[in-house]
Amino acid sequence: MTSSAIIPFRIDIAQADLDELNDRLGRTRWPDALPGVGWSYGVDLDYLVDLVEYWRTSYDWREHEAQLNKIAQFTTEIDGQTVHFLHVRSPEPDATPLILTHGWPSTPADFLDILGPLTDPRAHGGEPSDAFHVVAPSVPGFGFSGPTHDTGWDVPRIARAWAELMSRLGYERYGAQGGDYGSLISPELGRVAPDNTIGVHVNALASAATCSGEELSELSETDRAKAVENQQWWYGHNGYATQMALRPQTLAYALNDSPAGQLAWNLEWFVDWDPTATEQTPIDRDVILTNVTTYWLTGTAGSAARIYRESGKAWGKKPAPSGVPTAVAHFRGDHAVRGLAEMANIVVRWHEYEVGGHFASLQAPAELVTDMRTFFRSVGR
């Protein structure tokens, strides 16, 4: 029988699991690498060797576990799946409920730096009227919400689970925010629960970068040029997504057996391809390792990869707008095209930033929070 109970959760990893991880890192079997190619063939060997050594000798999981455990966490069962989530209520009684959704290869740990400003703006130089009650779930299959146990956990099913989660928490009206896969799930929540979703705010809007030939002809000359440029860029960077969309189980064997291999795979996106050359804000390596370690300790690198397989059939398709007002915060390195975004969303705010990167909560947290406050202030919170 399915239970709708909400159960307090605390992270408590056995020391034997941490010791086993450390042992595996110390016995990494390194491949060769061609001289002088840098990052052009994939993750740079010297960079990875250095990061693995830091992970083995200096990174402290217990420190980050304790930091996460300062945040109220819970689990509940929805549609046969355990869903783990952070739930931080604001001290402001009239705060607006808000559900935050991460992407791949992330976890809710990405949001730690913005939870305080969102839930308690009075204590962070903001206006009390901008406060939110924040719910930040782990996407099914990821970390403490994984692994998944059946097929079909695509974007619409996750959005339906989010609607059920907010209902169980007693939130009848709420906002939604997300980046990367969260930028697909959050607008879908507006489609499955339009009467409950007051507004959708996204960054790294993954569904508005490329398009079909017919859609291309509907764009302005400027947007058409951006979409064509994006398509060319994507051809050179989509290998990771194609593998996960087609054969995630094959990949899972390697990721689940080698922590160094899992780290390399996740770095494909976390470092924006070359951290030594990018103009985007670097991501703290402890944050990267907290996400990777969570995947490793829960055995969910392969399960998280399955979201690409489950949702792959919808790639490139533009669903009808939900009618829910939508804001797009466009940070440095994002590829969203406004004309494409407007085909599937009611875009009422579009703001471009020359800072940050694909993971805005980690690379431009202050700008992201300000943009969210500005938008939700405008939709009649």
Side-chain angles (χ1 to χ4, degrees), residues 145-379:
S145 282
T148 48
H149 303 294
D150 59 353
T151 60
W153 277 102
D154 57 5
V155 166
R157 187 174 178 183
I158 296 169
R160 292 192 296 272
W162 279 192
E164 173 61 23
L165 175 61
M166 296 303 275
S167 176
R168 286 187 190 180
L169 294 173
Y171 296 137
E172 295 183 2
R173 296 276 288 164
Y174 45 80
Q177 200 284 331
D180 190 82
Y181 251 100
S183 78
L184 307 180
I185 295 165
S186 298
E188 191 63 24
L189 181 56
R191 295 185 183 95
V192 302
D195 295 335
N196 306 97
T197 308
I198 63 172
V200 173
H201 184 283
V202 296
N203 62 281
L205 181 54
S207 62
T210 62
C211 62
S212 65
E214 181 179 342
E215 292 167 337
L216 200 64
S217 65
E218 300 175 16
L219 297 175
S220 68
E221 184 176 347
T222 300
D223 281 354
R224 190 181 309 125
K226 289 180 181 178
V228 170
E229 181 182 354
N230 286 345
Q231 189 70 53
Q232 294 170 342
W233 179 89
W234 185 236
Y235 282 148
H237 294 83
N238 69 4
Y240 79 101
T242 300
Q243 175 64 32
M244 291 193 290
L246 295 177
R247 289 291 189 268
Q249 187 63 33
T250 302
L251 178 65
Y253 299 113
L255 300 186
N256 203 58
D257 193 57
S258 169
Q262 183 192 300
L263 175 58
W265 188 258
N266 287 25
L267 282 174
E268 281 284 338
W269 209 244
F270 254 133
V271 298
D272 298 309
W273 305 100
D274 183 351
T276 65
T278 182
E279 295 181 0
Q280 299 184 37
T281 304
I283 298 174
D284 183 85
R285 58 185 177 178
D286 273 27
V287 175
I288 295 173
L289 291 174
T290 295
N291 281 310
V292 173
T293 305
T294 298
Y295 282 31
W296 177 263
L297 294 172
T298 57
T300 56
S303 178
R306 289 200 286 263
I307 194 172
Y308 284 80
R309 169 77 181 196
E310 303 294 353
S311 300
K313 59 182 177 295
W315 283 9
K317 298 178 181 178
K318 302 290 187 295
S322 65
V324 175
T326 300
V328 179
H330 191 279
F331 291 91
R332 178 176 288 177
D334 284 349
H335 294 273
V337 176
R338 181 163 188 167
L340 294 178
E342 290 174 340
M343 292 180 183
N345 305 277
I346 305 300
V347 178
V348 300
R349 175 179 170 82
W350 179 285
H351 195 85
E352 301 196 7
Y353 295 89
E354 290 301 316
V355 296
H358 185 82
F359 299 89
S361 65
L362 301 174
Q363 295 171 291
E367 290 81 1
L368 178 64
V369 167
T370 297
D371 205 275
M372 292 166 63
R373 288 173 177 171
T374 302
F375 168 64
F376 283 106
R377 198 182 299 144
S378 73
V379 294

Side-chain angles (χ1 to χ4, degrees), residues 9 11 73-86 100-102 106-108 135-150 153 158 161-162 165 294-295 297-304 306-307:
F9 179 84
I11 304 169
Q73 300 174 67
F74 304 86
T75 61
T76 190
E77 184 179 341
I78 301 176
D79 196 9
Q81 178 67 34
T82 296
V83 173
H84 161 264
F85 61 97
L86 313 182
L100 300 178
T101 306
H102 65 85
S106 295
T107 70
V135 178
S138 296
V139 172
F142 289 64
F144 299 108
S145 282
T148 48
H149 303 294
D150 59 353
W153 277 102
I158 296 169
W162 279 192
L165 175 61
T294 298
Y295 282 31
L297 294 172
T298 57
T300 56
S303 178
R306 289 200 286 263
I307 194 172

